[in-house]
Amino acid sequence: MEQRLTEELKRRVVLADGAMGSRIFEKGIPAELSYDELNISHPELISEIHAEYLQAGAELLETNTFSATSLRLERFGLAGKTHEINRRGAELARAAAGEHCQHRQCWIAGSMGPLGRLEEMPSAHKIAELYTEQAAALLEGGVDALILETFTRLDMLLPALEAVRKLTELPVIAQLVFTAQGSSFSGLNIEDSLRRLEDAGADVVGTNCGSGPLGVLRALRNAGTRQCPLSAFPNAGFPEQIGDRMLFNSDPSYFAQSALQAIPLGARLIGGCCGTGPAHIAALRKALDAGEYRKVKQPEPQPETGTTGEELRALPETLFSRKLRRGKKMILVELDPPKHLDTGLALEAASALSRAGVDAITIAENPLAVPRLSNTTLAGMIHRRTGSEVIVHITGRDRNLVGMQATLMGLAAEGLSNVLAVTGDPPPSGSDDVVKGVFDLRSFDLLDLIRRFNKGMNHHGDSMRLRANFCAGAAFNPNTKNKPMQVRRMERKIENGAGYFLTQPVYTKADVDAVADMTAHISAPIFLGIMPLISSRNAEFLHNEFPGITIPDDIRQRMKDAGDKGVDEGIEIAWDLVQHAWDKFAGIYIMPPFNRYAIALELMKRLQQNGMWEA
């Protein structure tokens, strides 16, 4: 009678296979294709890889179905083949085991990976639907277990785990990705993360991918005491890019000797992830059979760097954040960095605004996805020269998660702790072959990351040694048709740490009143956007081409009638709006076109002369 996997894991270590995706790539299949679909179009290739791992000594095969949810297959036009691809994946692995495991037991685990990069997190109900569909097909194909792997988000893994747990009493393995430093992406520490998976019904919990053997070992050292067996599937190491390929050059012997150290830490199911191949599994098989893991001394657990419990000294708060708390009426003025290296005009503008007593200067970041001088560099120059408070716009468009964290660390170290978290304008249509938006982090994610920095940890939960003191704001666009949705987004941004809002510009008193009414319940201070017009051409461009701005017909007609007096007329229109809005908001956010800072100075002077604002 065949032994159930979980029963066998109580007795001994079981060796799983290595990577499927990187092995397929090594065999010449382009990465832009659906590897899961190969179960149908090239079953002989998948069977060949299964056979290689079995011949290397693997006892557990994972099906070639890692990305085979209907959501991910839909990107290839294959959603309608979800059931067939998963069932066939299980059948291919089962057939390979029957052919090559005649004298020993071998288990088949149905592989299920995360949903990939998504603009918005699906609901728990939707996640459950997707994984229920996939798991049902894998079970029909004859798997012995299900493995949910390579999840960085606990809030995505838990509903998937709970859904498949309802389908079967077969073993379910649940694996999270941890960082190379041995910490959690989920916000919880590793021990609590794995406990949550146990409580949700996982029979085996552990980690895979993310880093090489040493990173996996760091994670397992913080796994705590587990009721169920642990699993460990490290990468071969870190890849090297050669041409258009990402290659792993890890020595199989090193991989095996390092992976063995997971056994004294409680690992009973061991295999390989990205970059590992049959040679790595063969080296592990040889080491396991020789009993070399018995020579490994169990290391002492190490505290996770982000959860040491130490009291972290906070960096100083900003003058701007103190003014916000006091409820001071403020004027903010935006400056755009130049599209060249000459900073003279921008610094001249900042100096003039500073002398006039501006409360803060905001520095935009590559508006309309047009490259400009680094706004973080210009912000530092302005702050050092004038001493004025500076608000740095940070967009998710231009930086991945690594670059964003580096930027935030630099800002905090420089004392530039006022930031505006925005998603960013998308690159121009048709420019995909030249420039692509990154969007690892959208505004909600960026605010959450900033909040983590303020707790003294980075995205992975690693200690920053100091707590940042960012005063984070967000944008609000009142110029869309679905205004209630924009207000709901404001509320969500507050939940993620937004402490104030800057709005897109408005051009009528009715719009001012509408914004005030729809945001009356919002607790965070709101600065109403005012972008003075300077000409009829400027008005037409903003109305017709600039995202998020609508200028009424009568205002555009006024600018047309003004002719050469466009700047004066634009100031009068803006002043009329400022007077009407002043008592309704925390302050005014002036965006002078083309850095025409004299316009902002004129509005500031009028506010001061009328006793409405104090510099």
Side-chain angles (χ1 to χ4, degrees):
M1 181 178 177
E2 289 192 353
Q3 184 73 27
R4 184 181 171 95
L5 175 62
T6 47
E7 295 301 316
E8 193 71 3
L9 290 173
K10 292 177 182 177
R11 299 193 309 108
R12 66 179 181 89
V13 175
V14 171
L15 179 61
D17 59 8
M20 175 62 75
S22 54
R23 191 66 179 151
I24 291 173
F25 187 74
E26 288 171 0
K27 291 182 178 288
I29 305 299
E32 59 267 19
L33 298 181
S34 168
Y35 282 4
D36 306 291
E37 190 277 336
L38 298 174
N39 295 336
I40 298 173
S41 62
H42 290 79
E44 71 288 346
L45 175 63
I46 305 306
S47 296
E48 177 185 324
I49 295 172
H50 286 321
E52 290 173 347
Y53 282 123
L54 291 170
Q55 290 162 6
E59 303 167 89
L60 181 141
L61 288 180
E62 290 192 44
T63 59
N64 178 43
T65 55
F66 176 77
S67 303
T69 56
S70 59
L71 182 65
R72 295 193 71 169
L73 290 173
E74 185 177 17
R75 300 166 195 172
F76 300 96
L78 296 169
K81 293 189 175 183
T82 300
H83 188 275
E84 181 183 3
I85 288 171
N86 282 282
R87 188 195 71 243
R88 188 67 180 130
E91 291 171 347
L92 290 173
R94 173 61 63 203
E99 181 177 352
H100 298 281
C101 295
Q102 296 177 357
H103 304 296
R104 58 186 171 91
Q105 188 164 355
C106 182
W107 293 270
I108 307 302
S111 173
M112 295 182 285
L115 299 178
R117 184 183 294 183
L118 301 169
E119 185 168 333
E120 289 200 16
M121 177 81 167
S123 66
H125 177 72
K126 179 62 176 178
I127 293 171
E129 277 187 351
L130 291 167
Y131 288 100
T132 296
E133 178 186 26
Q134 185 182 14
L138 290 167
L139 292 168
E140 184 179 313
V143 298
D144 302 299
L146 296 171
I147 180 167
L148 292 153
E149 57 183 341
T150 324
F151 284 74
T152 57
R153 299 186 60 154
L154 191 62
D155 57 351
M156 184 176 286
L157 178 50
L158 283 172
L161 170 59
E162 290 165 358
V164 304
R165 181 74 285 170
K166 294 175 182 177
L167 285 182
T168 180
E169 294 185 359
L170 290 176
V172 178
I173 304 158
Q175 296 184 150
L176 283 164
V177 178
F178 299 113
T179 73
Q181 291 73 40
S183 57
S184 167
F185 286 91
S186 65
L188 290 174
N189 62 37
I190 292 174
E191 183 175 1
D192 289 341
S193 297
L194 296 181
R195 182 177 294 113
R196 292 278 301 275
L197 296 176
E198 277 186 323
D199 293 343
D203 299 285
V204 180
V205 297
T207 181
N208 76 291
C209 205
S211 60
L214 292 185
V216 166
L217 294 175
R218 291 190 185 103
L220 293 184
R221 286 170 191 154
N222 293 292
T225 303
R226 306 265 56 85
Q227 297 299 314
C228 64
L230 289 173
S231 60
F233 288 62
N235 288 346
F238 288 94
E240 176 185 8
Q241 184 162 356
I242 300 178
D244 61 350
R245 292 193 171 198
M246 299 298 290
L247 301 179
F248 292 81
N249 295 315
S250 166
D251 178 69
S253 177
Y254 167 81
F255 173 84
Q257 293 302 318
S258 300
L260 285 179
Q261 297 178 49
I263 297 173
L265 296 171
R268 291 298 176 266
L269 179 62
I270 297 180
C273 203
C274 298
T276 59
H280 297 83
I281 300 307
L284 256 177
R285 177 79 277 161
K286 180 180 178 181
L288 283 170
D289 290 345
E292 294 182 18
Y293 62 90
R294 297 188 180 94
K295 305 172 187 176
V296 177
K297 182 179 179 181
Q298 183 168 348
E300 291 296 320
Q302 299 295 316
E304 292 180 64
T305 55
T307 55
T308 60
E310 60 182 318
E311 284 295 323
L312 300 177
R313 179 171 57 87
L315 293 170
E317 67 173 347
T318 68
L319 176 60
F320 176 67
S321 65
R322 292 198 294 270
K323 287 181 178 180
L324 279 179
R325 269 205 317 276
R326 293 203 316 265
K328 180 188 182 296
K329 285 276 188 179
M330 286 191 276
I331 297 176
L332 317 180
V333 178
E334 179 171 296
L335 294 178
D336 290 335
K339 299 177 185 177
H340 44 69
L341 296 178
D342 185 357
T343 60
L345 179 60
L347 293 175
E348 174 190 311
S351 296
L353 291 168
S354 178
R355 289 193 297 271
V358 70
D359 291 290
I361 298 170
T362 84
I363 312 294
E365 181 172 45
N366 302 329
L368 295 181
V370 174
R372 293 174 178 267
L373 181 77
S374 163
N375 71 330
T376 58
T377 298
L378 182 60
M381 295 171 69
I382 290 173
H383 185 61
R384 286 189 293 273
R385 174 173 291 201
T386 69
S388 289
E389 290 288 279
V390 183
I391 299 174
V392 184
H393 297 210
I394 301 294
T395 72
R397 176 197 57 225
D398 298 333
R399 301 178 186 85
N400 64 14
L401 179 58
V402 174
M404 185 65 74
Q405 292 184 95
T407 296
L408 289 175
M409 281 191 276
L411 288 171
E414 283 278 352
L416 300 173
S417 295
N418 302 311
V419 294
L420 187 79
V422 294
T423 299
D425 302 320
S429 298
S431 66
D432 287 354
D433 58 335
V434 179
V435 61
K436 290 181 171 64
V438 181
F439 298 116
D440 270 6
L441 299 162
R442 295 181 181 269
S443 57
F444 302 113
D445 310 306
L446 183 48
L447 286 165
D448 186 61
L449 176 62
I450 291 167
R451 181 167 55 183
R452 291 186 183 217
F453 269 63
N454 285 348
K455 292 180 179 178
M457 65 181 73
N458 66 10
H459 177 79
H460 309 316
D462 300 322
S463 173
M464 305 295 289
R465 298 195 177 182
L466 293 169
R467 284 194 295 108
N469 218 333
F470 284 114
C471 179
F476 170 60
N477 182 9
N479 299 318
T480 60
K481 292 181 180 179
N482 193 344
K483 291 178 172 59
M485 183 191 74
Q486 290 298 323
V487 174
R488 290 195 297 271
R489 288 173 63 86
M490 289 183 86
E491 294 165 348
R492 183 177 167 193
K493 289 175 182 180
I494 291 173
E495 291 173 1
N496 282 26
Y500 63 93
F501 288 90
L502 308 186
T503 83
Q504 290 277 28
V506 297
Y507 285 94
T508 71
K509 293 179 181 179
D511 286 337
V512 171
D513 293 339
V515 174
D517 290 343
M518 75 176 76
T519 62
H521 67 289
I522 297 294
S523 57
I526 299 171
F527 295 86
L528 186 76
I530 300 291
M531 182 182 284
L533 302 170
I534 59 172
S535 68
S536 175
R537 182 179 177 182
N538 170 232
E540 293 299 328
F541 169 76
L542 292 174
H543 177 73
N544 291 289
E545 297 193 39
F546 205 96
I549 295 179
T550 301
I551 302 176
D553 294 344
D554 62 323
I555 298 295
R556 286 186 284 133
Q557 187 61 49
R558 281 180 65 179
M559 294 304 298
K560 185 176 181 180
D561 294 341
D564 294 340
K565 301 290 185 179
V567 172
D568 294 337
E569 187 66 21
I571 290 175
E572 293 306 320
I573 292 170
W575 173 238
D576 201 29
L577 287 174
V578 168
Q579 292 181 92
H580 184 73
W582 187 251
D583 291 333
K584 304 175 187 294
F585 296 95
I588 299 298
Y589 165 43
I590 305 172
M591 294 165 269
F594 311 111
N595 285 355
R596 302 277 284 269
Y597 64 91
I599 297 174
L601 292 174
E602 174 62 24
L603 294 174
M604 292 165 65
K605 183 178 74 174
R606 293 188 185 190
L607 281 165
Q608 199 165 23
Q609 288 175 342
N610 284 274
M612 299 166 68
W613 172 69
E614 183 179 322

